[in-house]
Amino acid sequence: MSGPIQPPDTECEDEPLARVEAREGRSTEVGGLPVARVLPTKGRRTVGAWCFVDLLGPMDAVDPDPLEVGPHPHIGLSTVTWLLEGEAIHTDSLGTEQAIRPGQLNLMTAGHGIAHAELAAALPFRGVQLWVAQPERTRHDQARFEHLDDLPQLELDHADALVFVGALPGATSPARTDTELLGVDLQLRRGTTVVPTDPGYKLAVVPLEGRLKVGEAIVEPGWIGLVPTGVDELPVEAEHDHGRALVLGGTPLGERIQMWWNFVARDRDEISDAYRQWRDRTDRFAAVPSRLERIEAPVPPWMAAED
Ligand code: MN
């Protein structure tokens, strides 16, 4: 899935925090689906290498426009697709065709370049689309795709944790990571769950269901709770049973990134090149087996000014 990034130049920022801060996401739309974009947000462009978080849906069974995201390209990032309800079909330029359901992980690593398409195959549909910026070390590599359906679970006080990326003590995800990263789906019961965390990580909590208290901050679905660095325990309190949240974290990327449209790069020239290569259908982005219409890239504003 894809989402236009505004403003066009998104750089790595690191605003220090004294306490947990709740920030409201922005409402937008991707492939006919309502979206709350909680990262990037004001004053915070990345959480570790996590650089993009869209909450997709809900979309119900009578929705006239089911999720259909036609072939589009990516560079320099991994996409993490995590469904909460329904089913989606992923196809890509490597020849992959993969159904995904809740509890399973689709991890697509673009490297130098990949193109893919996604559509909802079962309704109602709800999910989370996340991007991870690749470091210099791997971002020029060949693309790859992983589907994982046996992810480790862990019981914490008042919560069941499913570790889809990275590790908690006693549960390590088999998913590939290029930098140290954590992605956990917490099913919360009423009470306080203490999540053990690495003090070297940037951390954030993304509520999916129910109002939560993270540290001293109230964070609701559609918002993100940004956590100060240096904590080794993250208290997450659910007011009621059936709370749910993602905990995201990782070591800082330590590299300035520039994001535009579906590309994560380091400067405008790299993005201009990727734009032209998608427009001109060069072999950087091979054909995607999909009945959906290809998505053309908007002209980058700095290129439009040249015409
Ligand atoms: Mn995409």
Side-chain angles (χ1 to χ4, degrees), residues 12 39 45-53 76-78 130-135 177-182 201-203 248-255 257 259 264 266:
C12 202
L39 193 73
R45 297 298 166 191
T46 53
V47 174
W50 298 102
C51 61
F52 184 90
V53 180
L77 62 94
S78 295
L130 310 102
W131 292 358
V132 181
Q134 288 184 261
T177 53
D178 293 347
T179 55
E180 273 192 62
L181 211 59
L182 180 67
Y201 280 13
K202 300 282 182 185
L203 289 165
L248 304 175
T251 50
L253 187 64
E255 297 175 31
I257 61 171
M259 291 170 62
V264 175
R266 295 299 181 270

Side-chain angles (χ1 to χ4, degrees), residues 30 82 134 148 162:
V30 170
W82 190 247
Q134 288 184 261
L148 300 165
L162 197 156

Side-chain angles (χ1 to χ4, degrees), residues 1-3 69-70 72-74 77 79 108 116-118 129 131 262:
M1 284 163 249
S2 68
V69 183
H72 61 278
H74 288 288
L77 62 94
T79 63
M108 183 184 80
H116 74 141
E118 276 168 298
Q129 171 76 63
W131 292 358
N262 289 302

Side-chain angles (χ1 to χ4, degrees), residues 270-285:
E270 288 184 2
I271 290 169
S272 300
D273 286 347
Y275 162 78
R276 285 190 205 95
Q277 286 155 352
W278 176 247
R279 180 193 65 190
D280 299 342
R281 302 177 185 234
T282 67
D283 54 12
R284 181 174 187 180
F285 305 107

Side-chain angles (χ1 to χ4, degrees), residues 142-164:
Q142 293 291 311
R144 40 184 288 180
F145 177 84
E146 284 175 58
H147 173 78
L148 300 165
D149 58 10
D150 188 16
L151 296 164
Q153 300 192 49
L154 191 69
E155 211 169 297
L156 301 171
D157 280 347
H158 309 288
D160 295 317
L162 197 156
V163 182
F164 54 92

Side-chain angles (χ1 to χ4, degrees), residues 41-210:
T41 188
K42 191 176 180 304
R44 181 57 72 89
R45 297 298 166 191
T46 53
V47 174
W50 298 102
C51 61
F52 184 90
V53 180
D54 264 3
L55 310 179
L56 308 166
M59 181 175 74
D60 64 34
V62 293
D63 203 301
D65 298 307
L67 173 76
E68 291 189 346
V69 183
H72 61 278
H74 288 288
I75 65 168
L77 62 94
S78 295
T79 63
V80 170
T81 304
W82 190 247
L83 297 197
L84 307 176
E85 273 186 284
E87 181 179 336
I89 307 287
H90 160 100
T91 54
D92 67 37
S93 52
L94 300 172
T96 311
E97 178 172 349
Q98 180 65 59
I100 179 170
R101 297 180 191 89
Q104 305 176 341
L105 173 69
N106 272 4
L107 178 64
M108 183 184 80
T109 302
H112 180 62
I114 195 168
H116 74 141
E118 276 168 298
L119 79 164
L123 302 175
F125 180 88
R126 204 156 66 96
V128 189
Q129 171 76 63
L130 310 102
W131 292 358
V132 181
Q134 288 184 261
E136 187 61 31
R137 187 172 56 77
T138 64
R139 71 185 186 98
H140 306 286
D141 291 352
Q142 293 291 311
R144 40 184 288 180
F145 177 84
E146 284 175 58
H147 173 78
L148 300 165
D149 58 10
D150 188 16
L151 296 164
Q153 300 192 49
L154 191 69
E155 211 169 297
L156 301 171
D157 280 347
H158 309 288
D160 295 317
L162 197 156
V163 182
F164 54 92
V165 172
L168 288 181
T172 300
S173 167
R176 161 214 170 109
T177 53
D178 293 347
T179 55
E180 273 192 62
L181 211 59
L182 180 67
V184 179
D185 187 338
L186 289 179
Q187 304 262 9
L188 298 147
R189 297 176 292 277
R190 188 177 171 182
T192 299
T193 299
V194 177
V195 183
T197 52
D198 187 315
Y201 280 13
K202 300 282 182 185
L203 289 165
V205 177
V206 178
L208 302 174
E209 284 162 35

